[in-house]
Amino acid sequence: MFPATQPPASALRPTRAEVSLEALGYNLSTIRGLLNGQKIYAVVKADAYGHGAVPVARHLAQNGVDAFAVALVEEGVELRESGIEHEILVLNGAYARTHREILQYRLTPVVSDLSDLAVFQKLSRGRPIGIHLKVDTGMSRLGLPFCSLPDFLHELERCDAIRMNGLMTHLARADDDPETTAEQLRLFEHALRLVSERGHQPLTIHAANSPGTIRHPEAHYSAVRVGLALYGLKPAPTEVPLRPIMRWRSEIISLRLLAEDTGVGYCHSFKTSRQTRLATLPIGYGDGLMRALSNRGFVLVRGRRCPIIGNISMDLTTVDVTDVKGCQLGDEAVIFGEQEGQSLSVDEVASWAGTINYEIVTSISKRVPRFYLEKWEAHG
Ligand SMILES: Cc1ncc(COP(=O)(O)O)c(C=O)c1O
């Protein structure tokens, strides 16, 4: 059992993110239900997509997840230091010369560069080191170019301490283009054949992220790497039942009545066209509420959608509550999540801001305390 993680008592502000651990567990079992016993790497990079890496990883560990994946060595170290004993795969590898820390913290490196082999071999001192080889099959970002595979295998065979425990690739268009995915998988299977003809037997073979896991069972191989879906967000429309696990809320700290034709906020980017009741919320782009939502987004107050008017500033946001009956100081304002039977989704917020759901949640900044709930409380 891990100790409960909650914000410190100094987390006084009413702007906070609430994370439902129950919904997280539910999403994990939903994903498990799509698989045939394959191993699940829970992707908890970028602070578990803004949800809090340590509490999320601890809950997933308690609920039987198989392993974790992070982008950075530092993220792996944070998990180890918090008591996570599961395998931790470092997706972005050992760049910036972090080979020593990878070994010290028992992290599993993703390798896609010949030069890493020599460094690991040198540091091994006779101890075996397991790596996952990443082959680029069409993402064109990280990964060993397919044409370099024979040379890589040749070098690997000279490094007696290094074992290829995993072979992986990453899908570029699993959410929107089955043909590109099929092409990537053809190349990946070609790589698999080459690898096994040369006598390597990677046990963990993986390609699928959330959209790959949901839409492409043929990409499940022996493991999947799932991030977004665990957080209850969808990479593309799907029938798979997932529950959002975060609710982002604030409160009204100031209310005023503005006459028609009054400018609001910096640059007066909004002018009232009627007598307007304006509410001010203690949340701004310094908290990750994107400025792009100025004069475009909405929040919920007493179950009603209220437009964000004026420019969002670093710490404050102004909304039009003229049509909210009985609106008072201290009323809750929901940025996304449920309130009084109504809801705003992360996807809606993303579309207003001209971005994707991944960016909305990972942008919520450190100064927003995260509260972990076993169950959603009734709101309203
Ligand atoms: C290599 C790799 N695998 C898996 C994932 C998880 O993707 P998703 O959040 O779509 O599940 C990511 C995320 O960007 C990634 O970079």
Side-chain angles (χ1 to χ4, degrees):
M1 257 324 243
F2 299 106
T5 314
Q6 288 295 6
S10 58
L12 299 173
R13 58 190 309 220
T15 298
R16 49 182 64 179
E18 297 166 346
V19 177
S20 160
L21 296 176
E22 188 206 17
L24 175 66
Y26 170 88
N27 294 334
L28 177 63
S29 21
T30 301
I31 292 158
R32 218 176 259 308
L34 301 173
L35 301 171
N36 257 324
Q38 285 90 342
K39 172 173 174 177
I40 298 177
Y41 284 91
V43 181
V44 291
K45 60 192 174 124
D47 205 24
Y49 294 35
H51 296 76
V54 168
V56 162
R58 285 176 168 175
H59 192 74
L60 291 170
Q62 281 164 343
N63 282 269
V65 81
D66 305 284
F68 294 98
V70 293
L72 311 179
V73 172
E74 291 88 323
E75 293 172 334
V77 171
E78 184 191 20
L79 292 187
R80 273 285 177 266
E81 289 187 335
S82 76
I84 296 287
E85 282 299 318
H86 290 57
E87 180 193 353
I88 301 172
L89 187 64
V90 181
L91 295 171
N92 288 6
Y95 71 86
R97 307 274 115 194
T98 52
H99 305 79
R100 215 176 276 281
E101 287 75 12
I102 286 185
L103 301 181
Q104 183 187 345
Y105 287 91
R106 296 172 285 117
L107 309 176
T108 305
V110 169
V111 171
S112 44
D113 201 302
L114 261 180
S115 65
D116 287 321
L117 290 181
V119 184
F120 279 126
Q121 174 69 21
K122 201 159 153 224
L123 293 175
S124 72
R125 293 211 215 97
R127 280 170 309 166
I129 298 176
I131 62 159
H132 285 212
L133 169 60
K134 180 174 188 174
V135 184
D136 181 12
T137 58
M139 186 69 167
S140 316
R141 200 176 62 168
L142 278 182
L144 183 74
F146 184 78
C147 59
S148 307
L149 186 55
D151 283 350
F152 185 94
L153 295 177
H154 184 72
E155 189 57 32
L156 180 63
E157 283 146 24
R158 290 159 29 110
C159 297
D160 59 352
I162 305 180
R163 312 251 156 86
M164 191 201 300
N165 287 345
L167 185 71
M168 64 178 280
T169 194
H170 193 35
L171 302 175
R173 302 193 60 179
D175 49 348
D176 74 337
D177 182 34
E179 270 178 33
T180 303
T181 302
E183 188 47 45
Q184 284 198 259
L185 295 181
R186 260 196 297 280
L187 207 53
F188 186 51
E189 281 165 29
H190 191 170
L192 259 171
R193 280 197 299 278
L194 275 181
V195 160
S196 77
E197 277 163 22
R198 295 280 286 259
H200 302 276
Q201 291 174 323
L203 281 182
T204 313
I205 301 186
H206 47 115
N209 51 2
S210 292
T213 304
I214 290 170
R215 301 180 97 146
H216 295 282
E218 75 282 12
H220 289 175
Y221 298 102
S222 60
V224 296
R225 307 182 303 266
V226 182
L228 195 74
L230 276 175
Y231 309 111
L233 302 174
K234 299 180 180 179
T238 163
E239 294 300 308
V240 172
L242 295 167
R243 292 195 203 144
I245 74 164
M246 190 193 275
R247 180 175 182 272
W248 195 11
R249 52 94 70 201
S250 185
E251 264 174 38
I252 296 175
I253 57 162
S254 175
L255 270 174
R256 66 203 57 223
L257 201 59
L258 303 179
E260 186 183 334
D261 207 29
T262 305
V264 177
Y266 284 123
C267 310
H268 282 182
S269 69
F270 186 89
K271 279 227 159 114
T272 55
S273 56
R274 58 174 178 171
Q275 194 184 57
T276 299
R277 200 146 188 250
L278 182 103
T280 303
L281 313 176
I283 181 170
Y285 59 77
D287 298 300
L289 185 65
M290 292 188 175
R291 193 168 175 277
L293 293 164
S294 304
N295 298 308
R296 301 182 66 116
F298 295 82
V299 304
L300 287 174
V301 177
R302 297 191 175 226
R304 275 192 84 114
R305 287 179 177 226
C306 301
I308 295 175
I309 58 175
N311 282 346
I312 292 176
S313 48
M314 192 182 293
D315 316 300
L316 298 166
T317 294
T318 39
V319 297
D320 181 345
V321 292
T322 315
D323 300 326
V324 183
K325 278 207 189 79
C327 181
Q328 285 177 9
L329 278 182
D331 274 0
E332 181 187 73
V334 167
I335 317 303
F336 58 73
E338 293 199 4
Q339 185 191 58
E340 298 191 16
Q342 301 299 313
S343 68
L344 283 181
S345 69
V346 176
D347 290 324
E348 281 177 289
V349 177
S351 74
W352 298 326
T355 183
I356 51 174
N357 48 15
Y358 292 80
E359 193 181 7
I360 296 294
V361 283
T362 50
S363 297
I364 300 175
S365 73
K366 222 165 81 178
R367 76 175 184 178
V368 176
R370 273 70 166 171
F371 284 79
Y372 297 90
L373 313 174
E374 273 313 317
K375 273 188 181 306
W376 285 126
E377 282 151 10
H379 295 285

